[in-house]
Amino acid sequence: YDLLFPDEQNGLCALSWFADGAPLAAAEHVAMALGVPGASTVDVFARLADRSLVTVDIAANGEVRYRLLDSVGAFARGRLDEAGLTDRARTAHAEWFEMASVVALGEQRTANQARHVAFIRTERANLDAALGWTAANDPAQGLRIALGFGWASVILGEGGIGAERLRLALHACGSSATDADRALTLSLIAWNESGADLERAWADAVLAVEIADRTGDDSVITISRFASAFVLFQRGHTGAAIDVLERWHADARTETLLWDRGMQAMLLGYASFAAGDSQRAGATGAEAERLLPLVSDDWLASHFEAILGQLAQIELRYPDAAAHLTRAAQAARRAHMTATEGFHLASLGVVLHQAGDHETAIATFEEAIRLATTVGLMRIAAFTRVRLGTLLHGLGEVEPARAALSTADEWFRASGGGAEAAIARCLLAAMDADDDIPDAAQRLTTILESARTDGDSAVQVLALDCLAGIDARAGNIAAAVDLLARADELMESLGHRLVEHDRIDARRARELISAGVDSRPSLPS
């Protein structure tokens, strides 16, 4: 170190405050703050690399990243501290990430969106270091950084980690945060948190809407409404989500921007599909098809493909549905949006299951679970395990089905439930009934009553089918026939949400009823 020129010493110290390496532009910015001339920074770093104090990584796209060994970094931070320049280095470090966040905020709905998603994945440790510094020294700057990368964090699928980063930045600002920033931050927190804790996400979404309404800012109000609709959808309250989305459109006071219209169509499409509303789903599918060529946002475009896939699924055009969902997953993969890719693969697995391609469906579900687990988006993993368990249950693979459903059930119970939670409990109770577990019938009755209260017709049908099977096995043929008739009546209002292919226990109950009727002695004429 003593043999280095002063610029080289300062260059080494500049690199020491980066976590897990420094991108070239950021390293130059901090080095210049420490007195290294801008025209000399690259040469300085090159000389440090020649002396084996710095390693240089060059990515396939030509981007340069500098790294230090931990021991070298610790030594350089000590020298920086001795010189009284630590605050200057850390301030410059935070300044550069704030500038990067401004660019990310401006491009969050454009074709460059994927670049900022990749940036968060690479620079997460540096972002956290910058936010740690700003929390104590410039909280307003920290909130700007967190908000700038907030939507990219949602797309990346950071879930609870992303929510906590935003929450800490908002808390550090205290009462100095504006209502607009507070509402936007809470909306992003709710969106991220819905993948981990639905009750907390809903509380944040409600507060975001309340604060947003005070601002009178249409853009802030729109984002808060989208967040609340998304959380409602994740909770399984699809009717309420649709109501929020449609009321927002009716109340909008300015011309709807393309991205806002696209987001509304995307959320309405998913909610309508989950609610079994074929007519509304068809309308949003047509809107998605119209908007698809107009948007440059990879994330939104991939969801439009998925909406078109679900519309084809409603119409039983399974090859078309699979093609759309495959394109949706491929688009997400190209943009390195792992969470989104996992979500689309889960939907593709459902289509393959309904089309009868069970082997490919199982492999697709397993890949979706792997991807969702990799990024920590456990709600998608739980949803997919329910679908995988349903398929395995129908194939008679009892233990693998039970394992998938039990894992999903445990997660739902710990995280505030969700749209698929009741289905998991219903199928687990059905398998217990097959094994003559004494309380299985009572659990199914409780599930049925809860589904009636919640207006969840799909779960009611599955529970009625299972109870019919229990009665049929016990020889209560009349009761079993009545339960199946009630289930069949409910099926007429379900549309595409539940198809006959999914009613495994109904088929078994009918077989038992047929066998029971055929085995009775003939009555005299």
Side-chain angles (χ1 to χ4, degrees):
Y1 181 81
D2 291 338
L3 294 175
L4 298 175
F5 291 115
D7 282 352
E8 293 167 349
Q9 291 177 345
N10 288 335
L12 188 68
C13 290
L15 295 174
S16 70
W17 275 114
F18 286 88
D20 195 27
L24 172 58
E28 288 182 311
H29 184 80
V30 179
M32 285 188 289
L34 296 180
V36 179
S40 303
T41 52
V42 174
D43 288 340
V44 166
F45 296 143
R47 291 198 298 270
L48 291 170
D50 289 341
R51 290 167 171 77
S52 300
L53 291 170
V54 174
T55 59
V56 183
D57 294 340
I58 302 178
N61 61 3
E63 291 183 359
V64 176
R65 189 172 191 82
Y66 299 105
R67 299 183 187 275
L68 302 182
L69 292 174
D70 289 345
S71 56
V72 175
F75 177 87
R77 286 192 296 275
R79 303 295 74 74
L80 193 63
D81 200 41
E82 289 174 0
L85 295 175
T86 296
D87 284 358
R88 186 185 298 181
R90 298 206 68 175
T91 298
H93 178 274
E95 283 174 353
W96 190 86
F97 281 95
E98 182 187 5
M99 290 188 291
S101 76
V102 171
V103 177
L105 185 63
E107 296 182 343
Q108 64 181 352
R109 302 172 183 180
T110 71
N112 290 329
Q113 180 188 79
R115 181 163 67 89
H116 302 293
V117 173
F119 182 90
I120 288 186
R121 185 185 292 108
T122 303
E123 304 297 345
R124 182 181 285 132
N126 274 316
L127 284 169
D128 288 341
L131 291 173
W133 168 255
T134 57
N137 295 276
D138 191 345
Q141 182 186 47
L143 186 58
R144 290 193 295 273
I145 293 172
L147 274 175
F149 288 110
W151 184 243
S153 171
V154 169
I155 294 173
L156 183 60
E158 288 198 308
I161 294 172
E164 192 61 19
R165 183 185 294 122
L166 287 157
R167 199 183 300 280
L168 289 172
L170 182 60
H171 178 74
C173 271
S175 59
S176 66
T178 66
D179 276 350
D181 283 349
R182 191 176 298 278
L184 288 171
T185 306
L186 286 168
S187 297
L188 291 167
I189 288 172
W191 203 298
N192 259 322
E193 194 70 72
S194 65
D197 187 336
L198 271 178
E199 291 307 313
R200 196 176 188 187
W202 178 238
D204 288 326
V206 169
L207 185 56
V209 170
E210 178 185 327
I211 296 172
D213 286 345
R214 293 204 300 262
T215 69
D217 185 323
D218 285 337
S219 176
V220 176
I221 291 169
T222 293
I223 294 299
S224 70
R225 292 296 191 276
F226 285 158
S228 65
F230 180 76
V231 177
L232 282 167
F233 171 67
Q234 293 295 330
R235 297 177 81 194
H237 301 165
T238 52
I242 290 169
D243 184 56
V244 166
L245 291 164
E246 293 195 330
R247 281 193 291 108
W248 164 79
H249 184 57
D251 294 344
R253 291 187 290 272
T254 60
E255 184 179 351
T256 304
L257 299 174
L258 176 64
W259 189 89
D260 293 342
R261 183 63 188 138
M263 177 63 81
Q264 185 201 32
M266 184 267 285
L267 291 173
L268 267 175
Y270 284 130
S272 301
F273 183 83
D277 189 337
S278 301
Q279 184 175 355
R280 185 181 275 109
T284 54
E287 178 76 341
E289 191 167 23
R290 183 183 72 81
L291 294 173
L292 182 57
L294 305 178
V295 299
S296 56
D297 176 335
D298 290 328
W299 180 82
L300 193 55
S302 77
H303 283 293
F304 282 167
E305 283 283 7
I307 293 296
L308 293 172
Q310 291 190 338
L311 180 60
Q313 183 181 357
I314 291 171
E315 297 170 352
L316 307 183
R317 294 183 287 111
Y318 294 128
D320 290 341
H324 280 297
L325 288 164
T326 298
R327 285 196 291 272
Q330 289 171 342
R333 186 183 309 125
R334 285 194 302 271
H336 307 291
M337 299 171 182
T338 305
T340 305
E341 181 186 357
F343 175 78
H344 293 324
L345 286 177
S347 299
L348 175 60
V350 174
V351 168
L352 293 169
H353 175 197
Q354 292 180 344
D357 188 352
H358 298 150
E359 184 176 345
T360 309
I362 290 171
T364 303
F365 283 140
E366 289 175 344
E367 177 64 5
I369 292 168
R370 186 189 70 79
L371 291 173
T373 305
T374 297
V375 296
L377 208 59
M378 303 313 294
R379 184 166 299 281
I380 291 178
F383 161 84
T384 310
R385 284 191 172 100
V386 173
R387 295 302 181 177
L388 175 60
T390 302
L391 171 54
L392 293 171
H393 175 51
L395 295 175
E397 301 286 342
V398 177
E399 290 312 311
R402 191 187 300 277
L405 292 165
S406 295
T407 302
D409 183 49
E410 289 172 8
W411 188 89
F412 280 127
R413 289 180 186 276
S415 306
E420 300 292 312
I423 292 177
R425 290 197 297 274
C426 186
L427 292 176
L428 284 168
M431 286 189 282
D432 286 347
D434 290 340
D435 293 340
D436 295 323
I437 304 296
D439 69 338
Q442 181 56 51
R443 284 158 52 203
L444 283 164
T445 301
T446 301
I447 290 167
L448 176 61
E449 291 171 355
S450 296
R452 283 177 182 154
T453 301
D454 295 339
D456 192 334
S457 298
V459 174
Q460 289 182 62
V461 169
L462 293 175
L464 288 167
D465 289 345
C466 296
L467 289 168
I470 292 173
D471 275 333
R473 281 193 297 275
N476 301 324
I477 302 300
V481 169
D482 178 63
L483 290 167
L484 286 176
R486 288 160 56 191
D488 290 341
E489 185 178 353
L490 282 170
M491 276 292 291
E492 294 177 6
S493 64
L494 272 176
H496 56 271
R497 188 182 170 197
L498 191 72
V499 296
E500 285 294 338
H501 185 84
D502 299 321
R503 296 181 64 190
I504 301 149
D505 291 288
R507 292 197 296 275
R508 293 174 178 172
R510 288 191 175 97
E511 290 170 1
L512 289 167
I513 289 168
S514 177
V517 170
D518 291 344
S519 64
R520 289 181 180 181
S522 299
L523 296 175
S525 58

